[in-house]
Amino acid sequence: MNTGRHEFELIAWIRQQTRAHDRIPLGIGDDTAALAFPNPANCLVTVDMLMEGVHFTMPPATPRQIGHKALAVNLSDIAAMAGRPLAAVISLALPRGVPAKLAEELYAGIEELADQFDVAIAGGDTNSWQGPLVISITALGETTDRGAVTRSGARPGDAIFVTGGLGGSLAGKHLDFTPRINEASKLHEAVDLHAMLDVSDGLAADLQHIVEESGVGVILEESEIPISPAAQTAAEEDGRSAWDHALSDGEDFELLFTVSGDDAARLLANSPLEIPLSRIGTVVDGNEMQLRTAAGKVIPLPVSGWKHLL
Amino acid sequence: MNTGRHEFELIAWIRQQTRAHDRIPLGIGDDTAALAFPNPANCLVTVDMLMEGVHFTMPPATPRQIGHKALAVNLSDIAAMAGRPLAAVISLALPRGVPAKLAEELYAGIEELADQFDVAIAGGDTNSWQGPLVISITALGETTDRGAVTRSGARPGDAIFVTGGLGGSLAGKHLDFTPRINEASKLHEAVDLHAMLDVSDGLAADLQHIVEESGVGVILEESEIPISPAAQTAAEEDGRSAWDHALSDGEDFELLFTVSGDDAARLLANSPLEIPLSRIGTVVDGNEMQLRTAAGKVIPLPVSGWKHLL
């Protein structure tokens, strides 16, 4: 990680902020960090880059919210594997001339979420340039004893579930959401998760990932999709239906997963979660994505194209 | 890792290019990758971000060179710990409208170097936007049985060595260099490396990192600094001395390290390397950086400020 002199001060500040962690025998201040993984046979690694003007605009987003989101989207990916996050490294392109306070707030947003989930900040690369703000975080984690839950394990007969409510995330949730680390962990203990991911591209688009990776078809129940209040508000504003928002807005960062019929009954009778859990459809043979309408008719699922927020 | 529809094609192409690797039980195509580290108690992790207009301009840099450099700077950091690189993840902001060929060439540059050092490409996040090209690579590695070589182990009495020649990297080397992975490994086997880093900020600035982290002083020998032919050329062009270029240009990506006097004699008598190895100074008590001139006079080291290339 090489450094311009004008970045040294910020890095010294970050180094001061970053607490020692027994998982990080060597942290910020050398050429690499060294990590001691508790269960290193199954390291999870994921990276997400957020770009100003694409994934956020500032304002209305605050630097603290951007820092939060940059780590949260990564933790959401680790949640999607039912994994436990352990460490993260951060690379940053700061617009030249922004006040030092901005970078500090950005890191404060990262640190706050890192502390909440005991994620060690192991290092980073801080740069400045004439361009917009870019932040890329790589998160490292580990699987639990039950292993990683992939996208490819859905089987015909499975029930499809989703946590929380969907749609309208752009109004605020995409900046403030809590990654479903704890919920994924509780589900992983309670039942045999066949396939799982986090809803980032939108319910329909993400369901398609499971369809493709598992080699199955799905039938969604129109009347069971959990529509968030934010989707209702968005619908009132733009005239599209709230249901359409729930299906295709994306950036919900809820868990979408499939389990056997028996486990589905168990979850519906006694959910281990404190947030809503909805059974929204069924995995079937084939490779089609279909919708059972409220009137009981089965039709091809109308997939709205995923659009970049903004 | 979430995805816009227009990035899916590129990702499918990348996935096709990326060979299966027994170190990566789960590669591109899920929410995270899973890695199986051979020796997981000591994972090394480092990240570097390269930005168009700061770390390269295109042209003259080709996409293939940029891909090469983006991975090479990370491998150089792992070399600086005398570690072995294992895997990498890539996040990318592509200027909207660039030809698909550009992204493919960028990845080809990465893959070629990854193959050379058996680095598994485990995943990534590919985006497009209106801004310039940004690429951030996180590399993961492991230490050898002899442990990681940090910046903090230099002791008074140590000899200071550097590999290769220094200065003038901007003329081309910064895009094409081979990270000193193999050289670091051979040195680590041959002698007891007390402190090491890769020369990225410039010899004087990087030596200062060792001075600060080890709590020592240094005396450099003016006449022993290995001046590269590129530094000579740069000097003819801009009128600064070749020596000054060697001291402060940066991006040399050579190894700078300290060893005991006995090990120094051993290295000078019988170097394990096929590239030049120069003894350039001595570690002393205190915290000063000094220079012994060709005339034998000891003066404070004139440290030119590090400047961003370009």
Side-chain angles (χ1 to χ4, degrees), chain B residues 27-88:
Chain B
I28 297 168
D30 220 297
D31 293 285
T32 79
L35 315 182
F37 279 101
N39 174 17
N42 289 294
C43 298
L44 301 175
V45 58
T46 183
V47 61
D48 266 294
M49 180 182 265
L50 301 188
M51 294 119 71
E52 187 176 356
V54 177
H55 301 92
F56 60 86
T57 44
M58 181 175 57
T62 66
R64 190 177 277 257
Q65 286 178 312
I66 296 161
H68 173 95
K69 178 173 182 175
L71 181 58
V73 294
N74 280 287
L75 300 193
S76 187
D77 281 324
I78 289 178
M81 312 300 281
R84 195 165 76 96
L86 297 172

Side-chain angles (χ1 to χ4, degrees), chain A:
Chain A
M1 314 179 198
N2 64 348
T3 324
R5 208 152 275 225
H6 43 294
E7 275 100 46
F8 280 148
E9 229 173 280
L10 175 61
I11 292 165
W13 179 85
I14 294 166
R15 195 172 172 178
Q16 223 174 4
Q17 299 296 305
T18 309
R19 275 169 295 289
H21 199 294
D22 56 10
R23 205 180 293 139
I24 311 288
L26 195 62
I28 296 169
D30 220 298
D31 293 285
T32 79
L35 315 182
F37 278 102
N39 174 16
N42 289 294
C43 298
L44 302 175
V45 58
T46 182
V47 61
D48 266 295
M49 181 181 263
L50 301 189
M51 294 119 71
E52 187 176 356
V54 177
H55 301 93
F56 61 86
T57 45
M58 180 176 57
T62 66
R64 191 177 277 258
Q65 286 178 313
I66 295 161
H68 174 94
K69 178 173 182 175
L71 180 58
V73 293
N74 280 287
L75 300 193
S76 188
D77 281 322
I78 289 179
M81 313 299 282
R84 194 165 76 95
L86 297 173
V89 293
I90 303 154
S91 59
L92 190 59
L94 283 171
R96 205 155 281 166
V98 297
K101 189 76 190 156
L102 186 147
E104 292 179 14
E105 281 291 305
L106 193 71
Y107 274 97
I110 296 170
E111 278 287 344
E112 196 173 45
L113 184 62
D115 284 353
Q116 190 183 338
F117 288 102
D118 190 24
V119 174
I121 303 300
D125 183 26
T126 304
N127 305 277
S128 63
W129 73 332
Q130 302 293 351
L133 179 62
V134 181
I135 179 167
S136 177
I137 295 189
T138 302
L140 303 165
E142 64 179 359
T143 59
T144 69
D145 292 342
R146 299 200 67 168
V149 182
T150 68
R151 299 174 170 189
S152 59
R155 304 167 204 168
D158 278 4
I160 306 169
F161 281 85
V162 72
T163 59
L166 303 177
S169 175
L170 180 54
K173 181 184 177 188
H174 77 113
L175 292 170
D176 287 326
F177 70 98
T178 301
R180 299 303 192 194
I181 293 286
N182 294 337
E183 289 76 12
S185 167
K186 285 177 188 166
L187 289 167
H188 204 32
E189 275 170 34
V191 294
D192 182 15
L193 296 166
H194 288 178
M196 186 157 70
L197 49 66
D198 65 319
V199 182
S200 52
D201 295 342
L203 176 62
D206 284 314
L207 204 53
Q208 192 160 11
H209 296 318
I210 289 183
V211 162
E212 285 170 7
E213 299 294 332
S214 295
V216 295
V218 292
I219 299 176
L220 276 193
E221 304 290 335
E222 182 181 15
S223 54
E224 302 298 332
I225 310 295
I227 296 170
S228 71
Q232 306 279 9
T233 306
E236 282 159 28
E237 282 169 6
D238 68 6
R240 284 168 52 211
S241 74
W243 190 85
D244 188 43
H245 278 285
L247 197 71
S248 59
D249 278 358
E251 304 241 341
D252 298 298
F253 302 107
E254 297 291 349
L255 297 169
L256 176 66
F257 62 93
T258 82
V259 295
S260 71
D262 283 355
D263 274 341
R266 206 163 291 137
L267 286 179
L268 291 172
N270 187 16
S271 168
L273 305 187
E274 285 157 20
I275 59 171
L277 190 56
S278 308
R279 177 179 178 157
I280 59 170
T282 309
V283 178
V284 296
D285 282 316
N287 57 13
E288 282 178 281
M289 296 180 57
Q290 297 181 292
L291 180 73
R292 192 183 332 264
T293 65
K297 200 171 155 195
V298 174
I299 61 169
L301 182 72
V303 179
S304 307
W306 185 86
K307 298 153 293 301
H308 274 291
L309 294 176
L310 310 183

Side-chain angles (χ1 to χ4, degrees), chain B:
Chain B
M1 315 182 199
N2 64 349
T3 322
R5 209 151 275 227
H6 44 294
E7 276 99 46
F8 280 148
E9 228 172 280
L10 176 60
I11 291 165
W13 178 85
I14 294 166
R15 194 173 173 178
Q16 222 173 2
Q17 299 296 306
T18 309
R19 276 169 294 290
H21 199 294
D22 56 11
R23 204 180 294 140
I24 311 287
L26 196 62
I28 297 168
D30 220 297
D31 293 285
T32 79
L35 315 182
F37 279 101
N39 174 17
N42 289 294
C43 298
L44 301 175
V45 58
T46 183
V47 61
D48 266 294
M49 180 182 265
L50 301 188
M51 294 119 71
E52 187 176 356
V54 177
H55 301 92
F56 60 86
T57 44
M58 181 175 57
T62 66
R64 190 177 277 257
Q65 286 178 312
I66 296 161
H68 173 95
K69 178 173 182 175
L71 181 58
V73 294
N74 280 287
L75 300 193
S76 187
D77 281 324
I78 289 178
M81 312 300 281
R84 195 165 76 96
L86 297 172
V89 294
I90 303 154
S91 59
L92 191 59
L94 282 171
R96 204 155 282 163
V98 297
K101 189 75 188 156
L102 185 147
E104 293 179 12
E105 282 291 306
L106 194 70
Y107 274 96
I110 297 170
E111 278 286 344
E112 195 173 42
L113 184 62
D115 283 353
Q116 189 182 339
F117 288 102
D118 190 25
V119 174
I121 304 300
D125 183 27
T126 304
N127 305 276
S128 63
W129 73 332
Q130 302 293 349
L133 179 63
V134 181
I135 179 166
S136 177
I137 295 189
T138 302
L140 303 165
E142 64 179 356
T143 59
T144 68
D145 292 342
R146 299 199 66 168
V149 182
T150 69
R151 299 174 171 189
S152 58
R155 304 168 204 166
D158 279 3
I160 306 170
F161 281 84
V162 72
T163 60
L166 303 177
S169 176
L170 180 54
K173 182 184 176 188
H174 78 113
L175 292 169
D176 288 326
F177 71 98
T178 301
R180 298 305 192 192
I181 292 287
N182 294 337
E183 289 76 13
S185 167
K186 284 177 191 167
L187 289 167
H188 204 31
E189 276 170 33
V191 294
D192 183 13
L193 296 167
H194 288 176
M196 186 158 69
L197 49 64
D198 65 320
V199 182
S200 53
D201 295 343
L203 176 61
D206 284 314
L207 204 51
Q208 191 160 13
H209 295 320
I210 289 183
V211 162
E212 286 170 6
E213 300 294 332
S214 296
V216 295
V218 293
I219 299 177
L220 275 194
E221 304 290 336
E222 182 182 15
S223 54
E224 301 298 331
I225 310 296
I227 297 170
S228 71
Q232 307 279 10
T233 307
E236 283 159 27
E237 283 168 5
D238 68 8
R240 283 168 52 210
S241 75
W243 190 85
D244 188 44
H245 279 285
L247 198 72
S248 60
D249 278 358
E251 304 240 340
D252 298 298
F253 302 107
E254 297 291 348
L255 297 170
L256 175 66
F257 61 94
T258 83
V259 294
S260 71
D262 283 355
D263 274 342
R266 205 163 291 138
L267 285 178
L268 290 172
N270 187 15
S271 169
L273 305 186
E274 285 158 21
I275 59 171
L277 190 56
S278 308
R279 177 178 178 157
I280 59 169
T282 308
V283 178
V284 295
D285 282 317
N287 57 14
E288 282 178 281
M289 296 181 57
Q290 297 181 292
L291 180 73
R292 192 185 330 265
T293 65
K297 201 173 153 194
V298 175
I299 60 169
L301 183 71
V303 179
S304 309
W306 185 86
K307 300 153 292 301
H308 273 293
L309 294 176
L310 310 183

